[in-house]
Amino acid sequence: ARGGDSVAAARLAERLEGDDWCVRRAAAAALGRIARKEGVPPLLECLEREGGVVGRACHVALASLSGQTLPPDPAVWRAWWAGAEASFEPASSMVARSARDAVADAPWPWRHQGVGTFSTRVLFCVEVGASMDGKVELPADATQEMREALWSGTKLDLAKAELERTLDGLPKEAEFNVIAFGGDVETWKGRLFRASYRKGAIGFVRDLKVIPAGYASLKSTTRRSERKGGVGPTRAEAALTAPPGQEHLRNVGGLLLAAFGLDGPDPLTDRARPPADTVFLVLDGQPSAGALRQMPRLQELVAELNRTRGVTFHVIAFDERTRHHYEGFAESTGGRHVVHGP
C-alpha cells in the first residue's frame, strides 16, 4: 500500500542488491507501490547499475513514486532528485497511475519476430520438428509482399533467418542462449552468454535442421561435437530427452521446464532460478510429446512457477489454429502471441 513504513522500504532496498534478478525486480516494483521517500535513492542506484527488466522496473517505480515522466536515463533522474529531495513528497495514487501509464509507452530497445522487449537476459527457442519442414499456408488473397516474405523457404528457414537478424543486432549488454527442440533438445551453450558471442550462436542456428519422423537423435543434426567446452548434457538437455524415434515430436512441457532451469521430478519443489527473464518460443502446433501435453495444465504449472520467478513467454506460430492453444498462455505471463500466416 502507498505510504508503507520505513522498515519495509529499508528491507526492500536491501533486496535490490541481491544476486537474484527475480527478487530485485520484485523489490523495485514494491518500492514503487509503498511510496516512501527513502525508496528513491536505492531505486536510483539500481537504475544506474542495471538495464533490462530490472532497470525497467526501477524506472516504472520511480515514475510511480514521484509522478515524474522522465526518460530512463539515470543522469536525468539524478539531476531531478538533486533539486527535489529537500521537499519531496510521494505522488498521489492518481498522479502515480498517470506517470506509470506514460512511461509504459517508452520505445522498446530491440525486437524479435515483431515483439518488442526490454530484456537483456533472453532465451530463443526454435522448434525443429517435422512440421517445420513445410511452408506457411497462405490465404487466397495473399499480397505479393506476403508471398515473397513467407514463401522464401520453410517455416524453419523463416525462423532461422529472423533469429540470425535478431542475434546480429542484439544490444551489447544482452545475454542470451538458443535452444532447438522437438521431442529432444539441443542447447547452443549450457548458460547465457554475452552478445559478443553472437557469431558462434549464428553458426549454431544456421546448422539447425528439421528432425524427420523416426530420426535417431536431434543432437546428431547439429554440430554439438564441434562446440568448445560442451562437456556432458546441460540442465535443459537433461530436462528434455525423447524416447528413440520421437525426436520429431513437440515436447512443449519439457521445454518450458528447461526454460525455467528445472530438471527434477517435481518442478514445484525445485528452487532453481530461471537463467532468463524472457523467452521467445517459435513452434508449429500443440504439445505432442512428454508427460505434460494439455495446455491448461501447462498454463497452470507455469503460473505457479511464475509466482516467484516472473518469466515472460512470447509465442510465435505459423497459423491461427494454434492461437487458442497459446494465446492465453503467452498473455498470462505478460507476453504476446504472434501468428505468421493465415
Side-chain angles (χ1 to χ4, degrees), residues 196-219:
S196 56
Y197 289 84
R198 74 189 83 219
K199 184 176 180 180
I202 290 173
F204 173 84
V205 171
R206 287 176 178 169
D207 284 349
L208 291 177
K209 297 179 178 63
V210 166
I211 308 299
Y215 202 85
S217 173
L218 185 156
K219 295 177 179 59

Side-chain angles (χ1 to χ4, degrees), residues 23-164:
V23 174
R24 297 198 304 276
R25 182 173 63 179
L31 279 171
R33 288 194 299 270
I34 67 171
R36 295 282 304 190
K37 177 179 180 178
E38 46 271 58
V40 174
L43 284 170
L44 285 173
E45 292 172 6
C46 187
L47 184 64
E48 286 174 329
R49 65 175 179 264
E50 296 223 35
V53 298
V54 177
R56 167 71 167 167
C58 291
H59 181 214
V60 173
L62 284 167
S64 177
L65 207 165
S66 66
Q68 301 295 311
T69 57
L70 303 175
D73 183 338
V76 174
W77 281 98
R78 279 291 183 191
W80 162 79
W81 185 238
E85 181 177 7
S87 59
F88 178 78
E89 292 290 339
S92 67
S93 296
M94 184 177 298
V95 172
R97 187 180 308 111
S98 177
R100 284 197 304 271
D101 292 343
V103 299
D105 292 331
W108 306 107
W110 61 280
R111 293 176 178 271
H112 179 57
Q113 295 283 1
V115 179
T117 181
F118 286 89
S119 177
T120 54
R121 300 176 61 86
V122 62
L123 281 177
F124 299 102
C125 304
V126 181
E127 183 190 344
V128 292
S131 68
M132 292 288 285
D133 201 29
K135 291 194 173 185
V136 177
E137 297 178 16
L138 295 175
D141 61 349
T143 64
Q144 183 62 28
E145 182 180 9
M146 182 182 295
R147 292 181 183 279
E148 291 176 356
L150 298 180
W151 268 67
S152 58
T154 66
K155 297 170 186 176
L156 182 58
D157 290 333
L158 295 174
K160 289 166 58 175
E162 176 65 14
L163 183 49
E164 285 186 38

